[in-house]
Amino acid sequence: MRFLLKTQVLSIIIAILWIVYLNILALLDQPGPILQYLNWFVYGFALVLMVIYLLLTKYIIGHRWLAIPLVIVSYLMIYKPILENILLNLVNKSYGMSINFLSLSTGATHLMAMLIGLVFGIIYSNRFSKKQTQ
């Protein structure tokens, strides 16, 4: 039961960071000279989130490979759609259209960053626990 709770907490944290990621990109996507550098921000924030996910996985879940499907499925099916709909209901229509576009265009990048962070967090945690036992 504790393991399931930890995976759901991690899924909620990932969904909240996804909303923060979308808001930062939407703020940077305002018309102006920064628009040409938006791809750098998308991949830069994805790398930052990947490191955050690696550290969260290492400290919250540890070295359990079963956590990956529990985190990803609950994130994709429950927490991401709920938090994204709440965000779209709270903002005005033009900002919501920008967030919706960024959600569609950067979703794959964020998913890859999340997967890489989860996998390497588990690998690093597993390697760390083996060194402590030897």
Side-chain angles (χ1 to χ4, degrees), residues 18 72 75-76 106-116:
W18 166 244
I72 291 174
Y75 163 75
L76 290 175
T106 63
T109 305
H110 180 261
L111 186 64
M112 287 304 297
M114 183 180 64
L115 283 172
I116 291 170

Side-chain angles (χ1 to χ4, degrees), residues 63 65 123-134:
H63 59 276
W65 286 97
I123 288 171
Y124 182 70
S125 177
N126 195 8
R127 195 173 93 189
F128 184 74
S129 67
K130 283 183 184 177
K131 282 185 177 180
Q132 282 185 342
T133 57
Q134 290 178 353

Side-chain angles (χ1 to χ4, degrees), residues 1 4 12-13 37 40 56 61 69 96 99 101 109-110 118 125:
M1 187 67 176
L4 185 62
I12 291 170
I13 291 171
Y37 302 110
W40 289 101
L56 286 172
I61 293 177
I99 286 177
F101 171 74
T109 305
H110 180 261
L118 286 172
S125 177

Side-chain angles (χ1 to χ4, degrees), residues 18 24 35 67 98:
W18 166 244
I24 290 172
L35 189 60
S98 176

Side-chain angles (χ1 to χ4, degrees), residues 35-56:
L35 189 60
Q36 61 186 344
Y37 302 110
L38 188 63
N39 282 337
W40 289 101
F41 287 115
V42 167
Y43 295 120
F45 288 139
L47 285 174
V48 168
L49 286 178
M50 182 180 67
V51 171
I52 291 171
Y53 297 153
L54 184 143
L55 295 173
L56 286 172

Side-chain angles (χ1 to χ4, degrees), residues 78-110:
I78 300 170
Y79 304 116
K80 180 182 179 252
I82 289 173
L83 287 178
E84 197 168 334
N85 285 335
I86 290 172
L87 176 66
L88 290 175
N89 288 332
L90 292 176
V91 298
N92 63 16
K93 190 171 183 170
S94 64
Y95 192 73
M97 288 173 42
S98 176
I99 286 177
N100 205 7
F101 171 74
L102 289 169
S103 172
L104 293 174
S105 63
T106 63
T109 305
H110 180 261

